[in-house]
Amino acid sequence: MKVLVVGRGGREHALCEKAAASPLVEKVYAAPGNPGMAACAELLPYNEKDHRLLVTWAQQERVGLVIIGPEQPLMEGLADCFSDAGIPVFAPSSRAAQIEGSKSFSKELMEKYGIPTAKYRVFDDFVLAQEYVKQLDMPAVVKADGLAAGKGVVIAHTKEETVGALREMLMENRFGPASAKVVIEEFMAGEEFSLMALVNGELVVPLELAQDHKRAFDGDLGPNTGGMGAYSPVSQIPAEAAAQAVEQILEPVAKAMVREGIPFTGVLYAGLMLTAQGPKVIEFNARFGDPETQVILPRLESDLIQVIFEVLAGRRPELKWSSQAMAGVVLASRGYPDTCAEGVPLPAFQEEDGVGDVHIYYSGVCQTEDGLVSKGGRVYLAGCLGDSLGEAREKVYAFLDRYRQPELFYRTDIGKKAVSQ
Ligand code: AMP
Ligand code: GLY
């Protein structure tokens, strides 16, 4: 069978690698992919926006399964195009993807079905929003309603800061139409974790937990980014809390979507906070997380493609997980998440340097005659499995020490808190 993965980052690299390892798969294609993943996927000259070209190509090639990585094409209806053409696709329709694409949609859904999340109000009027702030306890959280590449969230510690964030979003169009509407919500204190599940209608198959590190610098300092590293499993989240999150959050949400007439198919990702009252939802995503996928899939011993087909057929697959832990550290260009340098030559990792043991998942890279060079923000993720998270961390940081480059930076504390607890 031929498998098509849509997207171009580290998440898609990990998906291509896992798909290529399946005995069911004869060939993996990535659209557009990136040159760093060329060893496991053939790159297609189409991008995430070429809906019609992608569908025509997939029909001609008799593609057996399509997996869509990023959120934007989901919102734009790419999964609908494949399913209308009768091509099996593991991704939600554009209507179902609203659970990520519109924060007000997902908050209203959670409110209606009693799913635990922060208290909130939605505003499109600056004056009314400003008035509401007067009665709030601080800190408060201000979120652009639509997609803002993970950057549309402000945790405001004072009322002035809250109003400032509201002014930027509602009056100054900071995120364009994505911030024409905002959600103001209660701040939740606790441990944050990511729980993804393979979903088809009411069938919910949870994956193991991971934890992302969203801030740019060590100690959770600096601006929010797309994610600077992750690890899995997350030992500081008790198994009961994970089970509670499946029973009280993922399963009821999947049911709610069916009840609303917009059943969800694909990966439902819950960004959760373990609060004193149990797990509560920070956000939903309608896709695999990045960089969580890069530390979860290498731990999955089952055949991902077979598992996805089981789920698409409405059957619950048995997932087998490695008992090993994985730590993944993102290498980003200096300046990220703002403007950063490009064109930095990347090391040609050598087998004898232990690369065989290290998973490298590329994202912002391009190919030159002399090898891969960086292209923009996050460049690659290096990840290692270990018998413990401590061992996984030691392995990955020892490796990165050998390849230090002044033009790239990485956090040195990925998974550190989990090890010292
Ligand atoms: P989001 O884009 O919704 O995932 O938010 C980005 C980050 O802001 C999250 O990963 C959390 O660390 C933080 N955050 C968002 N909402 C809340 C909240 N209600 N309480 C505390 N932290 C939050
Ligand atoms: N790691 C956060 C995300 O994928 O949105």
Side-chain angles (χ1 to χ4, degrees), residues 272-341:
L272 302 170
M273 191 72 87
L274 182 53
T275 70
Q277 296 90 43
K280 291 189 181 181
V281 176
I282 299 171
E283 62 161 354
F284 283 115
N285 292 326
R287 51 170 174 82
F288 282 102
D290 187 342
E292 289 92 333
T293 301
Q294 293 92 307
V295 295
I296 289 181
L297 289 186
R299 298 190 53 235
L300 178 63
E301 289 174 348
S302 315
D303 174 350
L304 176 69
I305 301 304
Q306 190 182 354
V307 162
I308 288 177
F309 273 106
E310 291 281 308
V311 173
L312 285 174
R315 290 189 295 267
R316 179 177 294 281
E318 189 75 43
L319 298 189
K320 277 183 65 191
W321 294 97
S322 157
S323 60
Q324 289 199 303
M326 178 137 178
V329 179
V330 168
L331 282 279
S333 309
R334 286 219 178 272
Y336 177 72
D338 295 322
T339 39
C340 38

Side-chain angles (χ1 to χ4, degrees), residues 34-360:
N34 72 58
M37 58 174 84
C40 54
E42 182 175 327
L43 308 187
L44 296 178
Y46 309 123
N47 69 38
E48 301 87 344
K49 289 196 173 296
D50 296 330
H51 295 194
R52 200 168 316 160
L53 291 169
L54 281 169
V55 170
T56 308
W57 176 86
Q59 277 174 321
Q60 276 164 1
E61 294 292 325
R62 299 182 188 285
V63 164
L65 178 66
V66 181
I67 303 174
I68 302 172
E71 59 276 21
Q72 198 71 44
L74 297 175
M75 258 45 100
E76 291 163 357
L78 182 56
D80 309 69
C81 296
F82 285 114
S83 28
D84 290 349
I87 299 164
V89 52
F90 191 61
S93 67
S94 69
R95 287 184 71 214
Q98 277 183 90
I99 197 157
E100 169 167 7
S102 165
K103 296 212 192 274
S104 53
F105 170 86
S106 83
K107 292 298 276 191
E108 279 153 22
L109 187 81
M110 286 188 269
E111 184 168 53
K112 181 167 173 189
Y113 290 90
I115 289 154
T117 186
K119 289 200 199 71
Y120 77 103
R121 287 278 298 272
V122 182
F123 291 95
D124 57 11
D125 182 277
F126 174 68
V127 177
L128 293 179
Q130 193 181 17
E131 193 54 33
Y132 174 69
V133 173
K134 291 190 183 144
Q135 68 191 68
L136 285 181
D137 294 327
M138 292 293 119
V141 184
V142 180
K143 301 184 174 186
D145 184 59
L147 290 180
K151 290 164 199 154
V153 175
V154 175
I155 301 189
H157 295 273
T158 63
K159 295 194 178 180
E160 293 72 50
E161 226 184 302
T162 314
V163 171
L166 290 169
R167 182 176 294 113
E168 277 196 348
M169 293 191 199
L170 289 173
M171 304 280 282
E172 295 161 10
N173 291 318
R174 168 91 198 273
F175 301 105
S179 66
K181 203 150 75 167
V182 300
V183 172
I184 305 181
E185 66 177 36
E186 161 201 25
F187 176 82
M188 299 183 286
E191 186 75 35
E192 201 172 327
F193 63 106
S194 308
L195 169 59
M196 294 190 263
L198 311 177
V199 173
N200 184 10
E202 293 194 12
L203 176 64
V204 171
V205 181
L207 305 182
E208 293 251 308
L209 304 184
Q211 190 172 53
D212 186 7
H213 295 60
K214 288 194 176 160
R215 299 298 198 98
F217 310 125
D218 280 14
D220 290 332
L221 298 174
N224 256 319
T225 70
M228 292 299 295
Y231 64 93
S232 173
V234 186
S235 57
Q236 66 274 38
I237 304 295
E240 306 77 65
Q244 206 181 343
V246 173
E247 282 160 26
Q248 297 179 3
I249 294 170
L250 286 178
E251 289 177 348
V253 162
K255 264 203 186 105
M257 295 291 279
V258 172
R259 190 85 51 88
E260 294 291 312
I262 33 179
F264 189 98
T265 302
V267 174
L268 185 58
Y269 164 129
L272 302 170
M273 191 72 87
L274 182 53
T275 70
Q277 296 90 43
K280 291 189 181 181
V281 176
I282 299 171
E283 62 161 354
F284 283 115
N285 292 326
R287 51 170 174 82
F288 282 102
D290 187 342
E292 289 92 333
T293 301
Q294 293 92 307
V295 295
I296 289 181
L297 289 186
R299 298 190 53 235
L300 178 63
E301 289 174 348
S302 315
D303 174 350
L304 176 69
I305 301 304
Q306 190 182 354
V307 162
I308 288 177
F309 273 106
E310 291 281 308
V311 173
L312 285 174
R315 290 189 295 267
R316 179 177 294 281
E318 189 75 43
L319 298 189
K320 277 183 65 191
W321 294 97
S322 157
S323 60
Q324 289 199 303
M326 178 137 178
V329 179
V330 168
L331 282 279
S333 309
R334 286 219 178 272
Y336 177 72
D338 295 322
T339 39
C340 38
E342 298 194 354
V344 176
L346 301 177
F349 297 113
Q350 301 294 333
E351 236 6 88
E352 58 269 28
D353 285 320
V355 173
D357 225 18
V358 181
H359 294 252
I360 303 283

